Amino acid sequence: MKITAIHTRVVNAEMRNWVFVKVETDEPGLFGWGEATLEWKTRAVAGAIEDLTPLLLGRDPRDIEQAVRVMTKQSFWRLGAIGMSAVSGIELALWDILGKHLNVPVWRLLGGKVRDKVGVYTHLGMGDMRAVYETDSIEPLVERAREVVENGYRAFKAVFVPYTHYHAPLPEVDKVARMMEAMRSAVGDDIEIMVDFHGRPASAGAALAYIEALAPGRPMFIEEPVPPGDFQSLARLAQRTNVPLATGERLIDRTEFDALFATGAIDIVQPDICHCGGLLEAKKIAARAEALGIGVAPHNPLGPIAGVAALHFAVSTPNHVIQEEMVGAVPWYFDVVQGPIRRVDGFWQVPDAPGLGIVVDETECARHPYKQEVLHTQNAVLADGTIVDW
């Protein structure tokens, strides 16, 4: 069996352009789909996929580890977020091909089933951009939190820590405390709440002020309390709080995860399967985490193929804790890709179709062509004009 062609299909979903990757083979009707979505880097990722394609043409798509080595080693330059997103999308498509070829679901090839269902969480608005990133007062926060629970979720994540620099102003800290208290009172103690800091605090001191304000609400974890790569501040936080800490979505190379693990600072690691190199690399990261007593909750606010890949990962990974999803990002989320994602009582069900178990409607994809994504990051500016982390 040989790879004969690799194509991309870009689907605009408002804040993101989903980058779907199709790998074709010389066996009639046998092809695979992956996803390489990377916010605000769409054309760069599509170009990287085009650059990597000649390295893979004529190779056996079933030799997945070898294909990844070809893309990462024979590229010479270290690939970074853009290149590794391209690698990830291709790698996922190779798993889809292998599963179809063997007539088994991908999770069966990743070690088999370790759970009977997968706990998931969503965001306010089920992923709608405005609900996720623009809920900054108590009334809409409570309304949207209740909406999530009414839709059958048992866990959700909220982003309401304000844009911050090196100092957390007391009025903002008090507001965060009031918002958490109101949200917890609204949904009760049976619902898990995660709070995403988005790496907004530029110092451990600023992050700690918000963490202490949130602690009485007993969050499941605090995500990205400081910018990615600031392991020293992360370690300082871990020494001063008992609130579980999570991070990792913007780390790419396995050596970055090794450095993170060496801090002993986190309880949950959050690799993004579509950025870190794909399913096999994510499994390696998870195995290292498991040896250190760290759970895995992969980052996944992306498109429907990414969601399905996360499902197969979760089914087969022992230290998986909970899975992020944003199926409400656009109302036609399930129209472009028909797949096995089925949620019952807050849990995804285990798929049984071969490969990833998806059918991509390329005609429907074409109805949502590339557009410039909404540059929501441009809102991350303080009152004095200082640009800060989004």
Side-chain angles (χ1 to χ4, degrees):
M1 190 190 304
K2 295 180 180 180
I3 295 171
T4 57
I6 300 176
H7 306 286
T8 57
R9 298 285 184 269
V10 175
V11 179
N12 179 261
E14 193 175 24
M15 201 187 86
R16 294 173 175 87
N17 280 299
W18 296 335
V19 181
F20 297 158
V21 184
K22 185 178 185 180
V23 177
E24 298 179 352
T25 75
D26 60 351
E27 290 202 4
L30 182 58
F31 54 83
W33 286 98
E35 183 172 337
T37 302
L38 182 64
E39 296 89 337
W40 306 295
K41 305 292 185 292
T42 302
R43 287 164 291 192
V45 171
I49 291 168
E50 188 175 354
D51 287 339
L52 292 170
T53 295
L55 295 173
L56 295 178
L57 294 179
R59 290 188 172 273
D60 193 323
R62 297 168 295 185
D63 295 331
I64 298 173
E65 179 110 50
Q66 185 77 332
V68 172
R69 288 183 64 81
V70 165
M71 289 187 283
T72 55
K73 300 294 185 183
Q74 295 183 352
S75 289
F76 182 65
W77 295 103
R78 294 296 178 258
L79 295 176
I82 292 168
M84 288 305 291
S85 295
V87 169
S88 301
I90 294 170
E91 195 257 17
L92 296 180
L94 300 185
W95 283 109
D96 192 28
I97 290 170
L98 181 58
K100 291 175 180 177
H101 176 68
L102 297 175
N103 198 36
V104 295
V106 166
W107 59 259
R108 182 70 71 186
L109 304 172
L110 297 174
K113 184 173 66 173
V114 298
R115 55 182 49 84
D116 297 324
K117 55 186 178 180
V118 176
V120 298
Y121 72 89
T122 190
H123 293 249
L124 301 182
M126 273 60 72
D128 172 76
M129 179 184 68
R130 282 153 291 276
V132 173
Y133 300 110
E134 298 172 13
T135 302
D136 57 3
S137 58
I138 288 178
E139 185 175 344
L141 181 74
V142 167
E143 179 183 346
R144 287 164 174 166
R146 285 174 173 158
E147 179 190 19
V148 168
V149 176
E150 289 166 1
N151 273 276
Y153 289 92
R154 310 302 298 167
F156 65 90
K157 186 163 69 184
V159 183
F160 59 91
V161 168
Y163 299 128
T164 305
H165 203 24
Y166 291 89
H167 166 65
L170 184 57
E172 297 287 3
V173 173
D174 288 344
K175 179 181 178 181
V176 165
R178 292 192 300 271
M179 292 176 75
M180 184 66 176
E181 181 181 16
M183 188 164 54
R184 174 57 75 193
S185 296
V187 302
D189 293 337
D190 292 335
I191 303 299
E192 296 282 11
I193 299 173
M194 291 141 277
V195 181
D196 189 351
F197 281 31
H198 249 220
R200 290 174 177 178
S203 70
L208 185 63
Y210 290 122
I211 291 172
E212 290 177 340
L214 293 164
R218 292 177 293 174
M220 181 177 180
F221 59 72
I222 299 296
E223 180 174 323
E224 271 200 327
V226 291
D230 186 358
F231 299 145
Q232 184 175 0
S233 292
L234 199 62
R236 288 175 59 199
L237 283 177
Q239 293 168 359
R240 299 169 68 182
T241 183
N242 292 322
V243 177
L245 303 179
T247 195
E249 68 182 63
R250 287 189 274 177
L251 303 183
I252 305 300
D253 192 86
R254 205 184 318 157
T255 59
E256 295 179 290
F257 286 95
D258 282 346
L260 171 63
F261 294 151
T263 68
I266 62 166
D267 302 275
I268 304 289
V269 68
Q270 299 175 292
D272 190 310
I273 296 167
C274 289
H275 302 328
C276 73
L279 283 165
L280 200 57
E281 192 68 14
K283 292 286 285 189
K284 293 175 182 179
I285 292 165
R288 293 189 183 199
E290 184 182 18
L292 298 170
I294 297 170
V296 183
H299 178 249
N300 175 47
L302 307 179
I305 299 178
V308 173
L311 169 58
H312 286 271
F313 175 88
V315 169
S316 62
T317 303
N319 55 328
H320 188 277
V321 176
I322 194 167
Q323 183 56 56
E324 178 179 22
E325 53 106 298
M326 288 179 70
V327 300
V330 287
W332 40 267
Y333 182 96
F334 289 109
D335 293 345
V336 292
V337 178
Q338 292 81 53
I341 289 180
R342 188 167 64 90
R343 180 171 51 85
V344 178
D345 296 329
F347 291 85
W348 280 349
Q349 304 305 293
V350 176
D352 55 13
L356 291 177
I358 60 175
V359 176
V360 177
D361 187 333
E362 296 189 62
T363 301
E364 187 66 28
C365 289
R367 294 193 177 99
H368 307 279
Y370 171 86
K371 292 181 183 178
Q372 172 61 57
E373 307 95 322
V374 176
L375 294 171
H376 206 282
T377 52
Q378 292 181 326
N379 294 320
V381 182
L382 302 184
D384 65 358
T386 301
I387 294 174
V388 293
D389 278 289
W390 178 60

